[in-house]
Amino acid sequence: MNHAAPRTALISGASIAGPALAFWLHRYGFDVTVVERSAAVRGGGYNIDIRGAAVDVVKRMGIYDELKAVRTPPQTITFVGKDGHEIASINTVDYVSQVNPEDLEIARGEVTTVLYAHTRDDVEYVFNDSIATLDTHDGGVDVTFTRGAPRTFDIVVGADGIHSNTRRLVFGEESLFSRYLGYTVAIFTVDGFGSEPQRSTMYNVPG
């Protein structure tokens, strides 16, 4: 019998990828710590599509039925012209479930809630903190935090978003690698806007 201590892993970010990876690393014998700069798992965010291989993954994790229960209801997206008149409309069911009836569209916050619920008893979550420095050597990775005491891990994974602090610490400033393509998208909800909560209105215009 192997009495060696389990390998340790630090994951930066408690959104989608972080808890999902923590689930699998724990299953394969790792002691996992997830560090998150927010005070708790964050809700909100744009809807997430679970399709193709992702459907198989959430089924293997045993959370497909939970996610299906909180899927976003069918929604009509209406495209309008500059005068406000309808040009065309589509129903989300038409382009999501007809491709594969098992595909799901879910609010990001619902996904994070389910993933956290399935990992919090097996994974150490450290909130209100973040990685300050990383020093890799033969014995692992020495990590200092902005608030907590220094620790050493066998592996460190950055799952902390598009503007990853972990990636910056390892590879350098983001500006060295990013290339602006000329587009910016902001998506948000407005409480009490409109009389039909399951209808979105879209207007696109150059500039």
Side-chain angles (χ1 to χ4, degrees):
M1 181 177 293
N2 184 2
H3 294 285
R7 299 191 69 192
T8 57
L10 173 66
I11 300 172
S12 177
S15 180
I16 304 294
L21 177 61
F23 176 94
W24 290 107
L25 287 178
H26 169 75
R27 176 169 289 189
Y28 286 98
F30 279 76
D31 275 346
V32 185
T33 299
V34 177
V35 61
E36 166 60 48
R37 66 180 180 179
S38 297
V41 174
R42 287 182 286 183
Y46 194 55
N47 289 350
I48 293 172
D49 290 332
I50 296 179
R51 303 182 181 182
V55 173
D56 296 332
V57 170
V58 296
K59 285 184 175 180
R60 289 175 60 195
M61 295 174 74
I63 61 175
Y64 178 82
D65 290 338
E66 287 181 63
L67 295 176
K68 185 177 181 180
V70 295
R71 69 194 303 179
T72 55
Q75 184 179 72
T76 299
I77 302 175
T78 301
F79 297 84
V80 299
K82 64 181 180 180
D83 57 1
H85 287 103
E86 179 178 331
I87 298 172
S89 65
I90 55 176
N91 189 289
T92 55
V93 173
D94 295 334
Y95 69 85
V96 174
S97 61
Q98 283 190 10
V99 177
N100 182 350
E102 293 188 314
D103 289 353
L104 304 173
E105 182 181 52
I106 308 171
R108 174 190 167 279
E110 299 286 3
V111 181
T112 60
T113 298
V114 170
L115 288 171
Y116 179 62
H118 280 265
T119 54
R120 63 188 176 192
D121 292 336
D122 301 314
V123 171
E124 176 191 13
Y125 279 87
V126 179
F127 293 103
N128 281 320
D129 210 347
S130 62
I131 297 173
T133 64
L134 296 167
D135 180 23
T136 304
H137 51 83
D138 291 341
V141 185
D142 292 336
V143 183
T144 64
F145 299 90
T146 56
R147 299 183 65 179
R151 297 169 64 176
T152 300
F153 298 88
D154 291 314
I155 60 171
V156 174
V157 179
D160 43 2
I162 192 169
H163 303 296
S164 168
N165 175 58
T166 310
R167 184 170 59 239
R168 179 185 61 81
L169 291 171
V170 175
F171 299 109
E173 292 297 328
E174 180 181 301
S175 60
L176 299 173
F177 308 98
S178 63
R179 182 165 62 93
Y180 179 54
L181 299 178
Y183 293 88
T184 301
V185 178
I187 300 169
F188 53 91
T189 57
V190 179
D191 291 339
F193 177 76
S195 59
E196 300 177 73
Q198 303 312 324
R199 177 178 293 273
S200 295
T201 303
M202 186 172 294
Y203 173 55
N204 295 321
V205 61

